[in-house]
Amino acid sequence: TLLLSTSFDSTMKLFDYAKLDQPPIDLCMVRGTSTRASGVVCAAFSPTGTWIVAGEEYGGVRVFTVDPPVYSCSLKGHIAGIKGVEFSHMGDRILTGSDDGTLRVWREAPASDKKW
């Protein structure tokens, strides 16, 4: 079982519940992430547990793989802080809500160009 914590200190930590004696992985610092995230205010696992989506206080949305923990892509379009993120029940879409007054639905890339 995996646990995920988010924080305004710009960290998002992934814990393995069976190995709590080991340090967590800071997903904002994994391979492929070019800059540290702004405060991470929300996050969600995909239904299969293979992906994580995270929303940031300044409008950023980032997608990560879980195993191995690798930054996959950023979803750009909001101009204000993200208040909620969630995967669809099939895991092929991500819904984000923002202080800019919008909800966005992000569709999974085609299999040949799949990023999440």
Side-chain angles (χ1 to χ4, degrees):
T1 302
L2 297 174
L3 304 171
L4 184 65
S5 70
T6 62
S7 175
F8 280 102
D9 71 356
S10 301
T11 61
M12 182 171 55
K13 295 185 180 179
L14 184 63
F15 297 83
D16 184 335
Y17 190 72
K19 302 174 185 175
L20 288 177
D21 58 328
Q22 297 179 8
I25 297 167
D26 182 352
L27 288 175
C28 294
M29 296 302 290
V30 299
R31 181 171 36 109
T33 304
S34 59
T35 59
R36 198 143 182 74
S38 61
V40 182
V41 296
C42 53
F45 284 100
S46 66
T48 60
T50 56
W51 298 96
I52 293 171
V53 62
E56 301 171 3
E57 68 179 320
Y58 295 116
V61 178
R62 295 186 190 211
V63 181
F64 298 85
T65 58
V66 172
D67 189 20
V70 175
Y71 166 78
S72 177
C73 65
S74 292
L75 306 176
K76 298 181 191 243
H78 289 292
I79 58 172
I82 304 300
K83 290 300 181 185
V85 296
E86 190 59 69
F87 280 91
S88 66
H89 71 283
M90 297 292 291
D92 60 344
R93 288 179 173 74
I94 293 173
L95 176 67
T96 57
S98 170
D99 274 339
D100 64 14
T102 63
L103 293 173
R104 294 189 181 268
V105 178
W106 309 87
R107 294 182 184 192
E108 183 176 41
S112 62
D113 189 37
K114 188 172 182 176
K115 290 190 175 182
W116 57 273

